[in-house]
Amino acid sequence: QVQLVEAGGGSVRAGGSLRLSCGASGATISNYCMGWFRQAPGKEREWVARDLPSSSRRTVYPDSVEGRFSVSRDNAKNTVYLQMNNLKPEDTAMYYCATYRASVSERGVSTMGCRFNYWGPGTQVTVSL
């Protein structure tokens, strides 16, 4: 079964960029719906990107990151990326890659035509002024 590990987080100044990666193992994710979420201290987990290969709208984003974030994947590497540009302090959060595992009993979160119930361990993104 698929497992996810995020990487690429770090500390960056406002206006800077980071590229997060989500390496998948245990399954080929070429046809999987993949998502990115984030959670800041004191806040609920927030969806920030979705990549659904079968959708006419393959990638979608909430208004909070639209135009700044973009999700992509490299099937040869079985890896999903989140390019984050023009970062703002409010983007500071732990970022998680997400997918669906049928073996996971919890229903998880349904959004934009996908269900997410499995997350990687996360990677921290800190944006300073």
Side-chain angles (χ1 to χ4, degrees):
Q1 296 184 198
V2 64
Q3 297 187 60
L4 308 173
V5 178
E6 302 92 340
S11 181
V12 65
R13 288 288 194 89
S17 299
L18 285 173
R19 175 183 281 190
L20 307 183
S21 64
C22 172
S25 62
T28 299
I29 63 168
S30 59
N31 297 317
Y32 280 37
C33 185
M34 304 296 297
W36 286 93
F37 293 76
R38 67 186 181 188
Q39 186 167 25
K43 296 184 178 180
E44 295 184 346
R45 185 169 54 198
E46 175 189 22
W47 164 75
V48 297
R50 186 223 71 191
D51 178 23
L52 179 58
S54 62
S55 176
S56 59
R57 294 184 65 198
R58 175 162 184 163
T59 61
V60 291
Y61 312 88
D63 290 342
S64 59
V65 306
E66 181 71 52
R68 299 189 299 117
F69 290 11
S70 63
V71 63
S72 62
R73 74 177 70 190
D74 185 337
N75 288 328
K77 296 182 178 181
N78 214 33
T79 299
V80 180
Y81 302 94
L82 182 67
Q83 179 67 45
M84 305 184 294
N85 299 322
N86 192 25
L87 284 162
K88 304 176 180 180
E90 50 263 45
D91 294 320
T92 295
M94 184 73 76
Y95 283 72
Y96 300 91
C97 180
T99 189
Y100 174 76
R101 290 179 62 176
S103 61
V104 177
S105 60
E106 66 179 87
R107 296 287 293 171
V109 177
S110 293
T111 184
M112 302 304 298
C114 300
R115 178 173 295 280
F116 303 103
N117 67 353
Y118 182 75
W119 285 259
T123 184
Q124 178 67 40
V125 172
T126 302
V127 184
S128 61
L129 294 173

